[in-house]
Amino acid sequence: MIVAGCDVGSLTAEAVILDNGTILGSEIIRVRPRPEQSARDVMDKLLQRLELSYEAIVYCISTGYGRETISFADDNISEISCHGQGAHWLVSTIRTVIDVGGQDCKAIKVDKDGLLEDFVMNDKCAAGTGRSLELMSEALGTDVSQLGPLSLKASEALVITNQCSIFAEMEIMHYLCEEKNVADIAAGINEAMARRVKLLAGKIGVKEDIGVTGGVSKNIGVVQNLERMLGKKFIRFPEDPQIIGALGAAIFAAERAKQ
């Protein structure tokens, strides 16, 4: 039985297809101006690669910001539940999921069945999100994907004090004008990011096992700083952590298809 999950976020869209409980394939794209187009493009790309059609999908769940506008989805579920379900499906001992997405950050607690127990998210500012990290990377003159590896070369992390992304950019520009080491600035950016995520996660408390999902989970500098600040070692998922929201949606789709 083939089912699908489609997660349309603020920066990227992901699709996952499951065949009888096995991941058949996944895809990630940069979002288009409209959520429906993002969903259609990422699913088209995945179906084409797997040589499947929309007719082959028995049930599809959409999630993320644009989840209610996806015309080919049979139903939609919040990304908070989907990230929890997807992470638990991959690692059954998971109890806390820290999802750092494009424009929000969430700490999600799940029970032994992967069902939502509690969550907290930023709701007033984009500081501590993927987009703020992109802005600071641009100011530094490097691609966001290189920020983690670059920071590992630092001799000391320079302090980024401003929480506001715009003011933080100004701090970075100031450091560059002073000809500070670029790796040290990158380390400061990642440390500041981790500090904001740690403050958020602390509002509900974290319970092991802990895993990080979303695009920022691929930044080794942020992840290592967060582990150090929380005094915990995170589990590593056996699949791309950026697809876990879409994976959770596909798992919910499989359950609905059986009903």
Side-chain angles (χ1 to χ4, degrees):
M1 179 177 65
I2 293 177
V3 297
C6 187
D7 182 2
V8 179
S10 58
L11 290 183
T12 60
E14 296 85 24
V16 170
I17 289 181
L18 293 180
D19 184 6
N20 291 317
T22 299
I23 297 175
L24 210 55
S26 63
E27 196 64 63
I28 303 171
I29 66 167
R30 188 80 178 184
V31 292
R32 314 305 187 212
R34 295 183 184 277
E36 168 67 17
Q37 190 61 54
S38 300
R40 184 68 67 175
D41 284 2
V42 72
M43 192 61 77
D44 282 353
K45 194 173 179 182
L46 180 55
L47 289 171
Q48 185 177 19
R49 180 157 57 82
L50 297 176
E51 298 183 342
L52 292 173
S53 66
Y54 281 91
E55 287 70 29
I57 300 172
V58 176
Y59 207 96
C60 177
I61 294 282
S62 59
T63 189
Y65 284 115
R67 64 182 182 272
E68 294 179 357
T69 65
I70 312 306
S71 60
F72 60 80
D74 297 287
D75 205 349
N76 68 82
I77 294 176
S78 85
E79 66 271 24
I80 296 165
S81 294
C82 288
H83 274 269
Q85 187 65 219
H88 181 268
W89 189 79
L90 289 172
V91 180
S92 63
T93 55
I94 200 90
R95 293 295 179 271
T96 304
V97 179
I98 297 172
D99 169 35
V100 188
Q103 291 184 356
D104 63 28
C105 176
K106 314 174 194 77
I108 304 162
K109 291 173 80 172
V110 297
D111 65 15
K112 61 181 178 56
D113 298 314
L115 299 176
L116 181 65
E117 273 192 344
D118 197 6
F119 79 98
V120 62
M121 67 184 293
N122 65 319
D123 58 359
K124 294 180 179 176
C125 177
T129 68
R131 183 55 184 150
S132 67
L133 211 56
E134 277 193 349
L135 290 170
M136 288 187 273
S137 298
E138 289 168 10
L140 197 58
T142 187
D143 187 87
V144 68
S145 65
Q146 297 305 308
L147 201 58
L150 179 61
S151 70
L152 298 183
K153 300 175 183 174
S155 55
E156 64 170 337
L158 294 174
V159 178
I160 306 291
T161 57
N162 279 290
Q163 183 170 336
C164 171
S165 300
I166 304 300
F167 288 127
E169 278 187 84
M170 293 170 62
E171 269 191 286
I172 293 163
M173 296 302 295
H174 181 71
Y175 279 138
L176 289 171
C177 289
E178 290 184 334
E179 298 187 343
K180 297 289 187 184
N181 183 284
V182 173
D184 291 349
I185 303 173
I189 293 170
N190 287 336
E191 189 173 275
M193 177 83 172
R195 194 162 51 244
R196 288 167 196 138
V197 176
K198 183 247 183 183
L199 286 173
L200 184 77
K203 291 181 180 177
I204 60 168
V206 293
K207 186 164 62 175
E208 295 179 278
D209 287 340
I210 307 163
V212 184
T213 65
V216 178
S217 63
K218 295 178 176 178
N219 183 319
I220 186 65
V222 173
V223 171
Q224 287 187 353
N225 271 298
L226 197 51
E227 286 182 321
R228 175 177 57 79
M229 290 173 187
L230 290 172
K232 309 285 186 185
K233 190 71 177 173
F234 300 162
I235 61 97
R236 268 38 174 187
F237 292 108
E239 298 288 340
D240 186 335
Q242 199 168 356
I243 68 163
I244 287 178
L247 174 62
I251 294 163
F252 279 124
E255 292 174 358
R256 297 277 176 90
K258 293 175 184 173
Q259 295 173 359

mmCIF file of all heavy atoms in Angstrom, residues 194-220:
data_model
loop_
_atom_site.group_PDB
_atom_site.id
_atom_site.type_symbol
_atom_site.label_atom_id
_atom_site.label_comp_id
_atom_site.label_asym_id
_atom_site.label_seq_id
_atom_site.Cartn_x
_atom_site.Cartn_y
_atom_site.Cartn_z
ATOM 1 N N ALA A 194 22.184 28.312 19.175
ATOM 2 C CA ALA A 194 21.948 27.237 20.139
ATOM 3 C C ALA A 194 21.435 27.794 21.470
ATOM 4 O O ALA A 194 20.568 27.190 22.121
ATOM 5 C CB ALA A 194 23.242 26.452 20.358
ATOM 6 N N ARG A 195 21.934 28.949 21.862
ATOM 7 C CA ARG A 195 21.521 29.551 23.128
ATOM 8 C C ARG A 195 20.032 29.883 23.111
ATOM 9 O O ARG A 195 19.320 29.654 24.090
ATOM 10 C CB ARG A 195 22.363 30.807 23.372
ATOM 11 C CG ARG A 195 22.281 31.358 24.779
ATOM 12 C CD ARG A 195 23.424 32.307 25.107
ATOM 13 N NE ARG A 195 23.608 33.350 24.114
ATOM 14 C CZ ARG A 195 24.706 33.475 23.360
ATOM 15 N NH1 ARG A 195 25.703 32.638 23.495
ATOM 16 N NH2 ARG A 195 24.803 34.455 22.478
ATOM 17 N N ARG A 196 19.545 30.395 21.973
ATOM 18 C CA ARG A 196 18.120 30.734 21.857
ATOM 19 C C ARG A 196 17.250 29.476 21.864
ATOM 20 O O ARG A 196 16.187 29.446 22.478
ATOM 21 C CB ARG A 196 17.887 31.543 20.587
ATOM 22 C CG ARG A 196 18.444 32.952 20.690
ATOM 23 C CD ARG A 196 18.509 33.652 19.355
ATOM 24 N NE ARG A 196 19.383 34.811 19.437
ATOM 25 C CZ ARG A 196 20.266 35.154 18.509
ATOM 26 N NH1 ARG A 196 20.396 34.416 17.418
ATOM 27 N NH2 ARG A 196 21.011 36.215 18.650
ATOM 28 N N VAL A 197 17.713 28.444 21.174
ATOM 29 C CA VAL A 197 16.952 27.186 21.146
ATOM 30 C C VAL A 197 16.923 26.562 22.535
ATOM 31 O O VAL A 197 15.897 26.045 22.981
ATOM 32 C CB VAL A 197 17.568 26.204 20.126
ATOM 33 C CG1 VAL A 197 16.833 24.870 20.162
ATOM 34 C CG2 VAL A 197 17.521 26.783 18.715
ATOM 35 N N LYS A 198 18.047 26.641 23.238
ATOM 36 C CA LYS A 198 18.119 26.072 24.590
ATOM 37 C C LYS A 198 17.135 26.771 25.530
ATOM 38 O O LYS A 198 16.458 26.125 26.345
ATOM 39 C CB LYS A 198 19.549 26.219 25.113
ATOM 40 C CG LYS A 198 19.770 25.594 26.476
ATOM 41 C CD LYS A 198 20.047 26.642 27.502
ATOM 42 C CE LYS A 198 20.349 26.020 28.851
ATOM 43 N NZ LYS A 198 20.555 27.046 29.896
ATOM 44 N N LEU A 199 17.026 28.087 25.427
ATOM 45 C CA LEU A 199 16.080 28.830 26.261
ATOM 46 C C LEU A 199 14.652 28.393 25.985
ATOM 47 O O LEU A 199 13.835 28.244 26.893
ATOM 48 C CB LEU A 199 16.230 30.338 26.011
ATOM 49 C CG LEU A 199 17.471 30.998 26.601
ATOM 50 C CD1 LEU A 199 17.568 32.448 26.125
ATOM 51 C CD2 LEU A 199 17.426 30.954 28.130
ATOM 52 N N LEU A 200 14.333 28.178 24.700
ATOM 53 C CA LEU A 200 12.989 27.741 24.329
ATOM 54 C C LEU A 200 12.709 26.341 24.877
ATOM 55 O O LEU A 200 11.662 26.098 25.497
ATOM 56 C CB LEU A 200 12.844 27.751 22.807
ATOM 57 C CG LEU A 200 11.455 27.397 22.292
ATOM 58 C CD1 LEU A 200 10.500 28.576 22.448
ATOM 59 C CD2 LEU A 200 11.503 26.965 20.826
ATOM 60 N N ALA A 201 13.636 25.420 24.653
ATOM 61 C CA ALA A 201 13.445 24.040 25.098
ATOM 62 C C ALA A 201 13.310 23.964 26.613
ATOM 63 O O ALA A 201 12.572 23.120 27.145
ATOM 64 C CB ALA A 201 14.613 23.178 24.622
ATOM 65 N N GLY A 202 13.991 24.855 27.305
ATOM 66 C CA GLY A 202 13.941 24.857 28.756
ATOM 67 C C GLY A 202 12.566 25.160 29.316
ATOM 68 O O GLY A 202 12.258 24.840 30.473
ATOM 69 N N LYS A 203 11.689 25.755 28.493
ATOM 70 C CA LYS A 203 10.345 26.115 28.963
ATOM 71 C C LYS A 203 9.476 24.887 29.216
ATOM 72 O O LYS A 203 8.541 24.939 30.005
ATOM 73 C CB LYS A 203 9.668 27.039 27.943
ATOM 74 C CG LYS A 203 10.309 28.417 27.861
ATOM 75 C CD LYS A 203 9.599 29.305 26.860
ATOM 76 C CE LYS A 203 10.254 30.683 26.792
ATOM 77 N NZ LYS A 203 9.618 31.554 25.775
ATOM 78 N N ILE A 204 9.737 23.795 28.513
ATOM 79 C CA ILE A 204 8.956 22.580 28.793
ATOM 80 C C ILE A 204 9.838 21.481 29.398
ATOM 81 O O ILE A 204 9.327 20.460 29.834
ATOM 82 C CB ILE A 204 8.252 22.024 27.536
ATOM 83 C CG1 ILE A 204 9.249 21.649 26.440
ATOM 84 C CG2 ILE A 204 7.221 22.993 27.027
ATOM 85 C CD1 ILE A 204 8.622 20.836 25.335
ATOM 86 N N GLY A 205 11.142 21.715 29.410
ATOM 87 C CA GLY A 205 12.049 20.693 29.914
ATOM 88 C C GLY A 205 12.253 19.623 28.857
ATOM 89 O O GLY A 205 11.339 19.329 28.084
ATOM 90 N N VAL A 206 13.432 19.063 28.799
ATOM 91 C CA VAL A 206 13.717 18.038 27.807
ATOM 92 C C VAL A 206 13.880 16.694 28.507
ATOM 93 O O VAL A 206 14.424 16.616 29.602
ATOM 94 C CB VAL A 206 14.979 18.364 26.986
ATOM 95 C CG1 VAL A 206 14.758 19.581 26.119
ATOM 96 C CG2 VAL A 206 16.191 18.562 27.888
ATOM 97 N N LYS A 207 13.354 15.674 27.876
ATOM 98 C CA LYS A 207 13.439 14.322 28.422
ATOM 99 C C LYS A 207 14.088 13.429 27.374
ATOM 100 O O LYS A 207 13.726 13.481 26.197
ATOM 101 C CB LYS A 207 12.024 13.836 28.761
ATOM 102 C CG LYS A 207 11.972 12.514 29.475
ATOM 103 C CD LYS A 207 10.608 12.266 30.114
ATOM 104 C CE LYS A 207 9.488 12.198 29.109
ATOM 105 N NZ LYS A 207 8.184 11.850 29.704
ATOM 106 N N GLU A 208 15.051 12.633 27.759
ATOM 107 C CA GLU A 208 15.737 11.761 26.800
ATOM 108 C C GLU A 208 14.861 10.583 26.392
ATOM 109 O O GLU A 208 14.025 10.156 27.182
ATOM 110 C CB GLU A 208 17.050 11.267 27.397
ATOM 111 C CG GLU A 208 18.039 12.424 27.631
ATOM 112 C CD GLU A 208 19.350 11.971 28.237
ATOM 113 O OE1 GLU A 208 19.369 11.802 29.473
ATOM 114 O OE2 GLU A 208 20.309 11.789 27.479
ATOM 115 N N ASP A 209 15.046 10.075 25.175
ATOM 116 C CA ASP A 209 16.029 10.470 24.180
ATOM 117 C C ASP A 209 15.585 11.741 23.444
ATOM 118 O O ASP A 209 14.382 11.966 23.261
ATOM 119 C CB ASP A 209 16.265 9.356 23.189
ATOM 120 C CG ASP A 209 17.071 8.213 23.811
ATOM 121 O OD1 ASP A 209 17.726 8.429 24.811
ATOM 122 O OD2 ASP A 209 16.997 7.098 23.280
ATOM 123 N N ILE A 210 16.559 12.504 22.995
ATOM 124 C CA ILE A 210 16.305 13.779 22.332
ATOM 125 C C ILE A 210 16.841 13.723 20.907
ATOM 126 O O ILE A 210 17.930 13.214 20.668
ATOM 127 C CB ILE A 210 17.023 14.923 23.087
ATOM 128 C CG1 ILE A 210 16.652 14.909 24.574
ATOM 129 C CG2 ILE A 210 16.701 16.272 22.443
ATOM 130 C CD1 ILE A 210 17.613 15.712 25.438
ATOM 131 N N GLY A 211 16.070 14.263 19.967
ATOM 132 C CA GLY A 211 16.530 14.333 18.579
ATOM 133 C C GLY A 211 16.217 15.696 17.988
ATOM 134 O O GLY A 211 15.255 16.347 18.407
ATOM 135 N N VAL A 212 17.017 16.142 17.039
ATOM 136 C CA VAL A 212 16.816 17.436 16.386
ATOM 137 C C VAL A 212 16.382 17.192 14.946
ATOM 138 O O VAL A 212 17.008 16.410 14.224
ATOM 139 C CB VAL A 212 18.097 18.291 16.415
ATOM 140 C CG1 VAL A 212 17.830 19.675 15.818
ATOM 141 C CG2 VAL A 212 18.608 18.431 17.840
ATOM 142 N N THR A 213 15.297 17.854 14.535
ATOM 143 C CA THR A 213 14.789 17.732 13.166
ATOM 144 C C THR A 213 14.794 19.109 12.499
ATOM 145 O O THR A 213 15.104 20.112 13.123
ATOM 146 C CB THR A 213 13.365 17.149 13.160
ATOM 147 O OG1 THR A 213 12.476 18.083 13.804
ATOM 148 C CG2 THR A 213 13.303 15.824 13.891
ATOM 149 N N GLY A 214 14.414 19.121 11.210
ATOM 150 C CA GLY A 214 14.391 20.391 10.489
ATOM 151 C C GLY A 214 15.741 20.694 9.865
ATOM 152 O O GLY A 214 16.751 20.028 10.131
ATOM 153 N N GLY A 215 15.776 21.719 9.027
ATOM 154 C CA GLY A 215 16.980 22.045 8.277
ATOM 155 C C GLY A 215 18.185 22.360 9.141
ATOM 156 O O GLY A 215 19.320 21.994 8.804
ATOM 157 N N VAL A 216 17.979 23.035 10.271
ATOM 158 C CA VAL A 216 19.109 23.443 11.119
ATOM 159 C C VAL A 216 19.765 22.237 11.794
ATOM 160 O O VAL A 216 20.904 22.314 12.253
ATOM 161 C CB VAL A 216 18.646 24.496 12.142
ATOM 162 C CG1 VAL A 216 19.786 24.909 13.067
ATOM 163 C CG2 VAL A 216 18.113 25.739 11.423
ATOM 164 N N SER A 217 19.080 21.105 11.823
ATOM 165 C CA SER A 217 19.677 19.891 12.403
ATOM 166 C C SER A 217 20.929 19.473 11.637
ATOM 167 O O SER A 217 21.752 18.711 12.141
ATOM 168 C CB SER A 217 18.664 18.750 12.384
ATOM 169 O OG SER A 217 18.315 18.421 11.050
ATOM 170 N N LYS A 218 21.088 19.977 10.403
ATOM 171 C CA LYS A 218 22.260 19.626 9.587
ATOM 172 C C LYS A 218 23.460 20.517 9.889
ATOM 173 O O LYS A 218 24.530 20.327 9.312
ATOM 174 C CB LYS A 218 21.896 19.720 8.102
ATOM 175 C CG LYS A 218 20.845 18.684 7.694
ATOM 176 C CD LYS A 218 20.459 18.828 6.247
ATOM 177 C CE LYS A 218 19.487 17.739 5.828
ATOM 178 N NZ LYS A 218 19.050 17.879 4.430
ATOM 179 N N ASN A 219 23.263 21.506 10.760
ATOM 180 C CA ASN A 219 24.367 22.383 11.149
ATOM 181 C C ASN A 219 25.038 21.791 12.383
ATOM 182 O O ASN A 219 24.540 21.898 13.501
ATOM 183 C CB ASN A 219 23.825 23.790 11.458
ATOM 184 C CG ASN A 219 24.936 24.770 11.805
ATOM 185 O OD1 ASN A 219 25.871 24.436 12.517
ATOM 186 N ND2 ASN A 219 24.818 25.985 11.302
ATOM 187 N N ILE A 220 26.177 21.148 12.178
ATOM 188 C CA ILE A 220 26.878 20.452 13.257
ATOM 189 C C ILE A 220 27.290 21.406 14.375
ATOM 190 O O ILE A 220 27.331 21.025 15.552
ATOM 191 C CB ILE A 220 28.105 19.685 12.704
ATOM 192 C CG1 ILE A 220 28.757 18.824 13.788
ATOM 193 C CG2 ILE A 220 29.114 20.633 12.089
ATOM 194 C CD1 ILE A 220 27.893 17.707 14.299
#
